[in-house]
Amino acid sequence: MFRSLTACRHILTTNLRTKHFVSPLASTVVISRRCKSTIEFAQTEKKWIARWKELRKANKDNKIDPNKEKFYCLSMFPYPSGMLHMGHVRVYAICDSISRFRRMLGQEVIQPMGWDAFGLPAENAAIERGIHPATWTEKNVEAMKLQMEKILTDFDWNREVMTSDPNYYKWTQKIFLDLHKAGLVYRKNALVNWDPVDQTVLANEQVDSEGKSWRSGAIVEKKNLEQWFIKITEYADELLDDLNLLKNWPERVKQMQSHWIGRSKGSEFTFKFENYHGATMPQDLTVFTSRPDTIYGVMYLVVAPEHPLISKEFLPSDHADEVLAFVEKHKNAHAHDEERSKEGVKTGLFAVHPFTGERVPIFVSPYVLADYGTGAVMGVPAHDERDWEFTHLNNVASNDEIKIVVRPKDQEDDQIQLPFTQTGVLTNINNSYSGLSSEKAMEAITAEASSKGFGSVKTQYRLRDWLVSRQRYWGAPIPMIHCPKCKTVPVPEEELPVVLPTDVTFSARGGSPLQQLESWVNVKCPCCHGPAKRDTDTMDTFVDSSWYFLRHTDAQNTEKPFSREIASKLMPVDMYIGGVEHAILHLLYSRFLSKFMWKQNQYAQKPGAEPGNGEPFNILLTQGMVHGRTFKCPTTGKFLMPHEIDLQDDDTALLKSTGEPATIAYEKMSKSKYNGVDPEATIETHGADATRLHILYKAPPEDVLEWDDQSIVGMKRWLARVWRLVDGVQSTEQGHNKTWDFDISQMSQKEREIYYITNSTIKETTNVFQNSYTLNTGIAFLIKLTTALTNSQPSLDTKNPISTENEKSVSPVYLHAVQSLVKMMSPLTPSVGEECWETLGKNQENWSSVFEESWPKIDERALVQEEATCVVQVNGKTRFTVTLPTSSLNNQQEIESLIRKHEKANKWINQSTVKKMIIVKGGKLVNFIV
Ligand code: ANZ
Ligand code: ZN
């Protein structure tokens, strides 16, 4: 990006028109007037942005034409940071292109935009710079709207939503109360990150990898505080099972969701404690296992460090100190599941194996998670990787002692590679279960345990309830009141919204500013009218963003979140486009809330409509990241700033200081790597049309895009070539509203060729826009069509010429091709598309936007390749015949290469030196002189 700023020019001219329009075949040479024919991108963009604005004003009321099929195309709404980055430009370019295409297909397109406007950055700006979060956010929104306009998006601003607007969060609060009413909201103690210096709760992202607060630098503690939860686990089964309905979602995303929900079927077993010294013990210890068939292989039990057993009360005194010290050391472990330490210590306690009566030691280790299953596991080293590792690390048992209870079907017990973690057949140490398959044994063992009262079938989920309260200011206040008498009381619906007070002071310390605002906190209890206090927590911003797509359907409704009738018509979102980083949480929460509202009958679905069951998104397109070029010092590995390197012509770079070559790589754009690219600067230099094209052409939407703007000039050149074609046929008296009705048999050979490639391009690009979304290949097809048109003459030897204002004669087939090209490129490059379209229809009385036109129709007849038989002679003697497509008949090279591919060609032609090739009867007879 650093260099090409100067290397490109903004204006492309097409003044040099010579050979293309002088047809050697035409009897009269057409002399064209020298028209101005330059396209000035910046001016064109401005002109069309203004025109579109006018057009959009006409549809203030979000009118929906009932006769049209709707297409709701949505890109994930952004956080209003104040600046679009290339990733945004990429999603919006994809979304806008597909929307514009759908509009031309004749569908009623809904393409709204909004702002995920609550959240921490605004609050930080307030603390650091003294600007109120609302002011900061509004300013950013204004700036970003302008930028979105500059990239030529056709967003429907009448449907705009902003989550921090009381007219929006009133309904977020209402949905919270609905959930509460349905029994899906509750309060419980939960561990939160606590900054002991600033005396405030921190979000996970504010705790760095070393466990320190991002602002104070203090070691963050875990503190138990009462929090609000939404019972998403109640929907775990349907959220998992309905993934099957999402046929148009990437498999990868469905797998991630499925893993996140993590349904695991298994059993629970209860172990009694062994009596010792007459101490009072809890009744027993329950474990969850997904492999009940391995119960005879249990060598020990392990509990999580946070397990209630781990206390002075229960631990034998000769072990207590060691155990508690160990636990203290491993508290607050941040590591992921797999990396958690397998170190463990004996608790000194023992349990009794419910099947064998054996004595089993109980350990404690951080590899057991407190909040999964029962927080306790049965250790089966022979059949579980983690237990195997634990056993060896802590010398729990020697290899000979380890009990092997399952073997592969076709192997003897002594050949088994340990740990053997698959299912198989039970070995002979399993009493009455020996010889059973794992599957049968799981059932039978659980049944026995169940009948004897020490076990049962159990389904376990990884999914946890959704902790939605934040001890923060800039969010939707939780609409609850705490009364000393009535406990927690919902704010009556008619009092919504609970408005965020604006007269607060921001400081880094001492928790949420809401807590300090007594006038706001102190209220009357809605039940007993006694003194009570407002809840001072605000909602997780994921709550705001998990229903905004429903609000877009009816954004200005003042009575309800949205009208049932309208939402039922417009839902589901037909196509949802956004980053794969939202594959889990945002999409899961959105699916949950829209299912909830659907079940509450707040909206319905047309019978048979996909995906069904209140699923909000039909097609999900996850776009890849935009990576920028980084330069690193080869010795220190430090990222280099643009002014520290010299770019070379061959795309390498040298360090200015030492002359060494810099290491070049593509990485996620970031300030610290000096590889960010400002979209506005790119647009300023190259124009928005070319920028959009470039982004779409460089990679298919789902792949990583390695940004460099070297090749952006290629896109500008293409646009100029199209402009030249348009300029060559402008102002025919036909204009562009002609319904084409061609008689293929009346076409000249050249017309047929052009008609063929035009129709095959229509076919390919339609497929791209509608099915594969690989817009890069779509652009490649359009470029190919452009080349074919550039390489032929507008007249195409036509028998039915039409003439232009400047007296050139043009074949209607050629005109149709140019018009189709312009229509097909317009969704990708809207302002140049409009400009070309307007130019083509100069003689039209009433101008209409190219996006009001219908998408070109495929003439299937054109795609049938006609064939002709060609007789092949060698030195005048007939040797064989080949079938050739008629389109190849006027191309000597193609004829030759097709003939040479024939099996008989090897014998007669390929091994001899051809002196001459004579083509007779327009390709129906070919004589090789060898
Ligand atoms: C004995 C056993 C034997 C196990 C065997 C596996 C294989 P999923 O499938 O993910 O649900 N486990 C149970 N609770 C745990 C906890 N709180 N922390 C860590 N691990 C826990 O995993 C279930 C298995 O994970 C359970 O089945 C248990 O180990 C372990 F050959 O029990 B298994
Ligand atoms: Zn009360």
Side-chain angles (χ1 to χ4, degrees):
M1 72 163 265
F2 311 111
R3 190 182 37 172
S4 42
L5 288 180
T6 49
C8 60
R9 291 173 42 219
H10 210 131
I11 300 172
L12 287 157
T13 67
T14 58
N15 278 336
L16 302 167
R17 302 156 73 242
T18 45
K19 63 172 197 245
H20 289 328
F21 301 114
V22 183
S23 164
L25 300 171
S27 51
T28 48
V29 173
V30 179
I31 299 163
S32 65
R33 79 193 151 89
R34 273 181 91 86
C35 61
K36 102 177 179 312
S37 86
T38 57
I39 184 159
E40 213 278 272
F41 289 127
Q43 218 169 297
T44 308
E45 284 162 22
K46 268 207 207 99
K47 165 178 162 186
W48 291 104
I49 288 170
R51 282 254 204 123
W52 293 329
K53 246 189 208 158
E54 285 303 309
L55 282 182
R56 225 173 286 127
K57 270 192 198 146
N59 186 17
K60 267 206 296 291
D61 317 321
N62 300 326
K63 271 191 255 97
I64 297 289
D65 183 342
N67 299 317
K68 287 184 178 175
E69 200 186 333
K70 62 94 186 177
F71 191 83
Y72 183 176
C73 196
L74 183 65
S75 34
M76 292 179 182
F77 68 163
Y79 179 79
S81 61
M83 262 264 289
L84 289 193
H85 55 66
M86 274 299 173
H88 291 125
V89 179
R90 190 175 189 197
V91 205
Y92 306 144
I94 296 167
C95 187
D96 191 63
S97 299
I98 292 175
S99 292
R100 288 178 184 273
F101 159 76
R102 289 282 177 168
R103 180 156 296 159
M104 293 173 82
L105 266 196
Q107 294 183 314
E108 187 73 70
V109 173
I110 297 107
Q111 190 189 201
M113 182 41 70
W115 312 98
D116 190 10
F118 274 138
L120 271 177
E123 214 167 320
N124 294 337
I127 296 167
E128 279 154 23
R129 280 173 271 167
I131 316 168
H132 194 278
T135 321
W136 186 81
T137 307
E138 274 156 31
K139 227 181 63 209
N140 289 349
V141 163
E142 280 322 304
M144 286 171 84
K145 249 188 201 177
L146 269 180
Q147 291 182 310
M148 287 181 178
E149 189 172 81
K150 282 190 189 157
I151 57 173
L152 312 175
T153 53
D154 187 21
F155 293 131
D156 199 342
W157 291 110
N158 301 323
R159 299 183 178 278
E160 182 177 2
V161 301
M162 172 137 150
T163 57
S164 62
D165 179 345
N167 293 320
Y168 182 90
Y169 69 69
K170 170 177 182 177
W171 305 117
T172 309
Q173 292 171 336
K174 158 93 166 51
I175 293 166
F176 183 89
L177 294 180
D178 285 348
L179 287 162
H180 185 257
K181 228 186 274 168
L184 293 172
V185 168
Y186 66 97
R187 247 159 108 72
K188 90 173 173 196
N189 268 331
L191 285 178
V192 294
N193 303 309
W194 179 257
D195 180 335
V197 172
D198 282 352
Q199 295 281 301
T200 185
V201 174
L202 298 174
N204 281 338
E205 5 359 318
Q206 297 173 308
V207 183
D208 68 17
S209 55
E210 289 163 23
K212 291 182 183 160
S213 161
W214 70 299
R215 196 177 309 123
S216 73
I219 294 279
V220 173
E221 296 171 4
K222 293 273 182 189
K223 200 169 171 176
N224 235 326
L225 287 181
E226 274 230 304
Q227 302 289 321
W228 287 101
F229 286 86
I230 294 180
K231 238 190 233 173
I232 190 173
T233 51
E234 186 110 344
Y235 280 51
D237 279 320
E238 51 205 294
L239 286 170
L240 184 67
D241 296 338
D242 289 353
L243 288 173
N244 290 327
L245 302 176
L246 306 177
K247 302 203 182 69
N248 301 310
W249 279 40
E251 271 321 306
R252 190 164 61 114
V253 172
K254 287 192 272 186
Q255 265 165 22
M256 284 157 85
Q257 294 233 334
S258 161
H259 180 251
W260 188 259
I261 297 167
R263 181 164 63 197
S264 160
K265 294 192 171 162
S267 307
E268 278 185 354
F269 290 120
T270 302
F271 289 67
K272 293 246 176 274
F273 286 100
E274 187 194 55
N275 273 335
Y276 81 101
H277 315 312
T280 11
M281 292 299 296
Q283 272 282 299
D284 36 41
L285 184 62
T286 302
V287 300
F288 170 73
T289 176
S290 53
R291 292 292 304 275
D293 56 321
T294 64
I295 186 81
Y296 282 90
V298 173
M299 314 278 296
Y300 59 90
L301 305 180
V302 200
V303 297
E306 299 84 355
H307 197 280
L309 196 59
I310 305 305
S311 72
K312 272 240 149 71
E313 189 187 352
F314 300 127
L315 293 168
S317 51
D318 52 342
H319 281 78
D321 290 343
E322 191 199 346
V323 171
L324 293 174
F326 173 83
V327 165
E328 190 57 31
K329 199 175 92 192
H330 287 94
K331 230 166 67 182
N332 297 339
H334 283 283
H336 294 293
D337 299 3
E338 293 79 27
E339 302 152 16
R340 293 173 76 99
S341 166
K342 306 283 184 311
E343 261 178 84
V345 289
K346 286 184 176 154
T347 59
L349 297 167
F350 290 85
V352 182
H353 193 295
F355 281 87
T356 65
E358 276 170 317
R359 191 172 187 246
V360 223
I362 302 174
F363 287 76
V364 57
S365 170
Y367 89 94
V368 178
L369 307 168
D371 61 353
Y372 186 71
T374 61
V377 305
M378 57 187 224
V380 186
H383 303 293
D384 184 271
E385 294 277 0
R386 295 162 298 180
D387 296 349
W388 174 260
E389 207 184 307
F390 177 85
T391 304
H392 287 92
L393 187 66
N394 302 296
N395 296 317
V396 180
S398 69
N399 276 359
D400 315 334
E401 288 166 326
I402 289 178
K403 290 180 188 162
I404 303 171
V405 292
V406 181
R407 61 170 172 83
K409 259 199 194 75
D410 43 13
Q411 258 178 45
E412 292 310 314
D413 296 9
D414 53 0
Q415 297 174 336
I416 302 168
Q417 260 308 86
L418 288 185
F420 172 64
T421 59
Q422 272 132 289
T423 52
V425 177
L426 267 67
T427 60
N428 352 345
I429 61 166
N430 286 282
N431 290 348
S432 57
Y433 300 105
S434 299
L436 283 188
S437 70
S438 286
E439 291 73 18
K440 289 240 166 68
M442 290 192 208
E443 260 177 50
I445 288 173
T446 309
E448 180 184 341
S450 177
S451 71
K452 294 186 175 161
F454 57 75
S456 59
V457 175
K458 175 83 186 176
T459 303
Q460 196 60 56
Y461 300 88
R462 225 182 73 98
L463 181 67
R464 298 282 84 118
D465 277 338
W466 178 10
L467 197 172
V468 293
S469 43
R470 297 287 180 272
Q471 292 70 43
R472 293 274 145 208
Y473 169 74
W474 192 234
I478 289 184
M480 288 288 179
I481 289 167
H482 302 279
C483 167
K485 271 197 229 149
C486 322
K487 304 289 174 241
T488 42
V489 185
V491 171
E493 252 171 49
E494 52 296 353
E495 284 173 27
L496 296 183
V498 176
V499 178
L500 256 187
T502 46
D503 51 339
V504 292
T505 34
F506 294 95
S507 86
R509 287 161 188 248
S512 161
L514 290 180
Q515 278 170 334
Q516 281 124 45
L517 199 66
E518 304 235 331
S519 58
W520 185 80
V521 172
N522 293 319
V523 283
K524 265 198 206 146
C525 168
C527 276
C528 68
H529 306 289
K533 286 188 188 302
R534 282 195 192 284
D535 197 298
T536 55
D537 287 353
T538 54
M539 280 186 241
D540 176 10
T541 55
F542 272 124
V543 184
D544 309 326
S545 60
S546 46
W547 75 280
Y548 78 102
F549 42 88
L550 281 156
R551 180 70 179 170
H552 273 316
T553 65
D554 190 16
Q556 284 143 25
N557 199 322
T558 52
E559 309 287 309
K560 299 179 200 169
F562 46 84
S563 120
R564 181 176 188 280
E565 193 197 338
I566 298 176
S568 304
K569 246 184 226 154
L570 299 186
M571 286 294 286
V573 174
D574 292 275
M575 185 158 194
Y576 196 34
I577 310 172
V580 77
E581 67 274 17
H582 294 298
I584 300 179
L585 295 183
H586 166 62
L587 289 173
L588 194 69
Y589 295 146
S590 299
R591 293 178 61 219
F592 165 65
L593 271 196
S594 76
K595 276 174 179 295
F596 170 72
M597 289 196 254
W598 173 74
K599 284 192 184 189
Q600 295 243 315
N601 204 18
Q602 295 196 32
Y603 74 101
Q605 274 172 325
K606 276 192 235 110
E610 306 230 342
N613 287 5
E615 286 291 340
F617 311 122
N618 186 8
I619 303 165
L620 176 70
L621 186 65
T622 48
Q623 108 278 359
M625 274 204 285
V626 182
H627 286 184
R629 193 153 54 144
T630 58
F631 301 91
K632 274 196 243 181
C633 171
T635 38
T636 64
K638 254 182 47 192
F639 288 105
L640 301 167
M641 288 194 248
H643 71 257
E644 293 176 297
I645 48 165
D646 271 327
L647 269 175
Q648 306 297 300
D649 284 337
D650 61 354
D651 264 355
T652 59
L654 303 179
L655 265 74
K656 274 193 183 144
S657 53
T658 62
E660 290 170 282
T663 316
I664 300 183
Y666 284 89
E667 294 176 57
K668 186 178 169 174
M669 287 187 182
S670 112
K671 280 201 185 94
S672 60
K673 295 178 189 157
Y674 315 112
N675 67 342
V677 179
D678 172 15
E680 245 182 309
T682 311
I683 289 170
E684 194 69 26
T685 319
H686 301 285
D689 290 281
T691 303
R692 280 171 64 125
L693 278 177
H694 180 64
I695 285 186
L696 298 173
Y697 189 57
K698 278 220 81 147
E702 307 202 271
D703 290 7
V704 165
L705 189 159
E706 295 188 339
W707 178 267
D708 68 63
D709 57 8
Q710 317 259 312
S711 52
I712 201 165
V713 287
M715 287 297 119
K716 293 165 88 173
R717 258 185 240 124
W718 174 47
L719 290 177
R721 281 165 67 205
V722 175
W723 179 249
R724 231 175 280 155
L725 296 176
V726 167
D727 190 50
V729 296
Q730 66 172 308
S731 309
T732 57
E733 62 262 31
Q734 255 78 5
H736 50 44
N737 284 339
K738 192 167 163 46
T739 31
W740 301 100
D741 185 15
F742 291 117
D743 180 349
I744 297 180
S745 67
Q746 291 301 303
M747 287 183 187
S748 71
Q749 179 59 33
K750 288 183 180 167
E751 283 181 317
R752 267 185 226 191
E753 283 166 29
I754 290 298
Y755 198 52
Y756 170 79
I757 183 168
T758 306
N759 277 286
S760 66
T761 309
I762 298 173
K763 192 167 186 166
E764 300 288 4
T765 47
T766 307
N767 180 49
V768 161
F769 276 113
Q770 210 162 10
N771 302 315
S772 72
Y773 317 116
T774 51
L775 298 170
N776 57 325
T777 56
I779 295 171
F781 285 118
L782 294 172
I783 293 177
K784 214 168 119 193
L785 174 60
T786 309
T787 306
L789 288 169
T790 308
N791 291 341
S792 56
Q793 318 299 330
S795 70
L796 294 179
D797 304 347
T798 187
K799 297 179 190 125
N800 311 294
I802 47 179
S803 59
T804 63
E805 208 174 55
N806 45 354
E807 290 164 21
K808 279 193 311 265
S809 69
V810 171
S811 154
V813 174
Y814 186 91
L815 185 60
H816 164 258
V818 175
Q819 292 190 2
S820 303
L821 171 64
V822 168
K823 281 187 186 177
M824 290 188 280
M825 71 191 283
S826 292
L828 307 158
T829 159
S831 86
V832 171
E834 286 274 36
E835 188 67 21
C836 289
W837 191 249
E838 188 186 47
T839 306
L840 283 172
K842 228 170 171 179
N843 286 349
Q844 225 74 59
E845 277 188 7
N846 298 315
W847 165 85
S848 72
S849 161
V850 68
F851 302 107
E852 299 296 321
E853 293 297 323
S854 53
W855 186 253
K857 295 209 170 39
I858 305 168
D859 185 347
E860 291 288 346
R861 297 173 310 165
L863 298 177
V864 180
Q865 277 255 34
E866 284 172 45
E867 291 177 333
T869 308
C870 165
V871 176
V872 181
Q873 294 185 335
V874 178
N875 294 338
K877 278 201 184 124
T878 301
R879 294 300 181 191
F880 59 96
T881 59
V882 292
T883 325
L884 300 175
T886 42
S887 62
S888 68
L889 291 184
N890 64 349
N891 185 330
Q892 182 170 338
Q893 275 166 2
E894 216 174 314
I895 293 181
E896 182 174 350
S897 91
L898 287 169
I899 291 177
R900 280 182 182 277
K901 280 188 194 131
H902 194 273
E903 50 178 353
K904 296 219 172 113
N906 274 342
K907 180 168 171 197
W908 298 109
I909 309 162
N910 295 352
Q911 281 153 15
S912 340
T913 330
V914 176
K915 284 193 198 137
K916 210 173 167 190
M917 179 178 144
I918 306 161
I919 302 176
V920 210
K921 293 190 198 164
K924 302 250 166 69
L925 191 149
V926 178
N927 186 9
F928 288 86
I929 310 297
V930 305

